[in-house]
Each structure stands twice: as structure tokens, then as C-alpha cells.
Amino acid sequence: ELTYGTHINEQGYSEMQMVRQPNHNTNLQLQACLRKDFDWKELSLEICGGAARGKNQILRQSTMNKYQSKRFSASLKFLMKPCGWVDLDYITHWGRYDSQSEDGLNVRFNTNWSNNLNINTTIVKKYLWFMVNLSHEYNSFLPVKNHEFICAQVRYRIKKMNFILRTENLTNIRLYRSLSIDDMTECNTTYHLQPLTVMLKTTIHL
């Protein structure tokens, strides 16, 4: 059997390793979803939940490390039309990941929560529409745990011409970090975002 892993050399570069030795992992996972559609307001609901547990080993710096992990998740999604000219689309997701090395010295845990809401409205049928997107991200492991983003768009159509006025990053967040933890490994990603942006777009259908 072959075991793969990574090794950081003296120059700071990551090298892939391959060792001929047994690599046995035990994982148990359970996931369930429930969906229901209603005639009232054209409402659609979907609820999902999951849990996983594992005993694994991973090769790091030429050493085989054994660890245990737990993962929990839950999500809710709904679509509805509260009135004839408004559509709502909302989804929220919560997750938690815990891992601990066999000797108990290396413990990692992380909780994240995300929310996303789309609102589409028809102000003047066939001529004028408005859309807004609201999103929220929470990560317990980051120094700045919460981030909120807002985007909006107005679309106007007259005869064969479309005018779209769009704004992005209304909260003017310039730096955004995300972090994920898996297999005793932390992955950090940093995004440098454009500041608040306003764009006007015109299209003509011939």
C-alpha cells in the first residue's frame, strides 16, 4: 500500500512524498434532506443536515500522524413569491469541523455560517426591474469574523434597448479572508476586492 503526504523543505517549498506503508482510514457519514412545496405564495422549503466522524492518518513532514475528526452541517433553503411582483430566494448554511491528533496536542476546530438572499422585483411589468443581493459570511477562526456584502441592479427596457445600472460591494470591503480546515490542514485565502463600483450597461437588440 502507498501513503502520500507533503513535506516542507528548507527553502519553504512543498514537496509531495510517497511512502510504501499501510494507510487505513475509517469514516462514517450520515446526511438527510427534506423538501416540501406549498401552493401558498409558491413557497418551497428544503432542509438538510449531516454528520460525519472519522479516524484517519496523514503523512506530514515524513511522519505518520493519526487523528480523529468530526463534521456537522445544516442548511435551509426557501423560495417564495410574497406578491405578484416580488420573488425571494434565500439560503443559509452552518458547518462545524473538529479534529484532534492522537496525542491530543494538536486540536483544531472551526465554525462557519453563511447567508444569501436574492430579492427580485418587477416595478413596471416588461419595462422596469430591480434586484438586490445580500450576503453574510461568518468564520469563527478569523480575526474579522463577519463580512457583509450588498449588490444591487436596476434594469430598464424601452423598445429594443436595455439599460442596466449595477452597483457592487456597497459595503466597500477591500480585504476579505476565508479559511477552511480539513485533514489537520489549514487553508487561508486572501482576496483583494475592488472598492464600491457603479456600472452602466446598454444593449440593443436588432
Side-chain angles (χ1 to χ4, degrees):
E1 295 183 355
L2 297 177
T3 299
Y4 295 89
T6 57
H7 176 81
I8 307 299
N9 62 25
E10 296 179 355
Q11 288 74 38
Y13 293 102
S14 178
E15 299 176 341
M16 178 66 71
Q17 286 185 311
M18 182 180 67
V19 178
R20 188 175 297 277
Q21 68 178 73
N23 184 9
H24 301 292
N25 299 312
T26 302
N27 292 282
L28 178 64
Q29 183 174 351
L30 178 65
Q31 187 170 2
C33 288
L34 177 64
R35 176 172 175 169
K36 177 66 176 177
D37 296 323
F38 302 88
D39 293 332
W40 181 77
K41 304 296 182 180
E42 299 182 20
L43 176 64
S44 176
L45 286 174
E46 182 179 272
I47 302 174
C48 294
R53 185 172 185 175
K55 292 184 178 181
N56 307 281
Q57 51 188 3
I58 190 169
L59 186 63
R60 287 290 184 267
Q61 297 300 103
S62 304
T63 303
M64 185 64 73
N65 300 281
K66 295 183 179 181
Y67 68 96
Q68 298 181 0
S69 63
K70 297 179 182 178
R71 189 187 302 272
F72 305 95
S73 65
S75 65
L76 168 66
K77 180 179 182 180
F78 78 77
L79 306 170
M80 72 176 303
K81 198 176 186 72
C83 54
W85 50 279
V86 177
D87 291 284
L88 300 179
D89 180 356
Y90 173 75
I91 184 169
T92 181
H93 180 272
W94 173 89
R96 180 178 175 88
Y97 177 79
D98 299 318
S99 63
Q100 178 176 325
S101 60
E102 188 178 44
D103 56 14
L105 299 178
N106 196 334
V107 179
R108 285 179 168 85
F109 60 90
N110 185 40
T111 301
N112 58 76
W113 181 37
S114 64
N115 298 274
N116 191 79
L117 173 64
N118 284 307
I119 305 174
N120 292 283
T121 62
T122 302
I123 301 175
V124 181
K125 190 175 182 180
K126 296 183 180 180
Y127 291 99
L128 186 61
W129 299 266
F130 174 72
M131 180 273 290
V132 63
N133 174 264
L134 310 172
S135 61
H136 165 257
E137 299 284 342
Y138 169 83
N139 192 306
S140 65
F141 208 81
L142 296 175
V144 180
K145 303 183 185 305
N146 293 280
H147 291 88
E148 293 81 23
F149 298 95
I150 304 175
C151 298
Q153 176 179 293
V154 177
R155 178 187 170 198
Y156 176 66
R157 184 173 69 182
I158 179 172
K159 296 183 178 179
K160 294 184 178 182
M161 299 185 65
N162 281 290
F163 299 91
I164 300 174
L165 179 65
R166 181 174 178 82
T167 60
E168 296 185 353
N169 196 10
L170 284 172
T171 49
N172 202 32
I173 295 176
R174 305 297 300 274
L175 189 68
Y176 171 68
R177 288 183 59 196
S178 67
L179 179 141
S180 61
I181 300 177
D182 198 4
D183 293 335
M184 301 297 290
T185 303
E186 297 176 13
C187 180
N188 285 274
T189 306
T190 302
Y191 302 90
H192 296 272
L193 307 179
Q194 289 185 341
L196 190 155
T197 304
V198 180
M199 297 176 288
L200 177 62
K201 179 181 178 181
T202 305
T203 59
I204 302 176
H205 298 277
L206 301 177

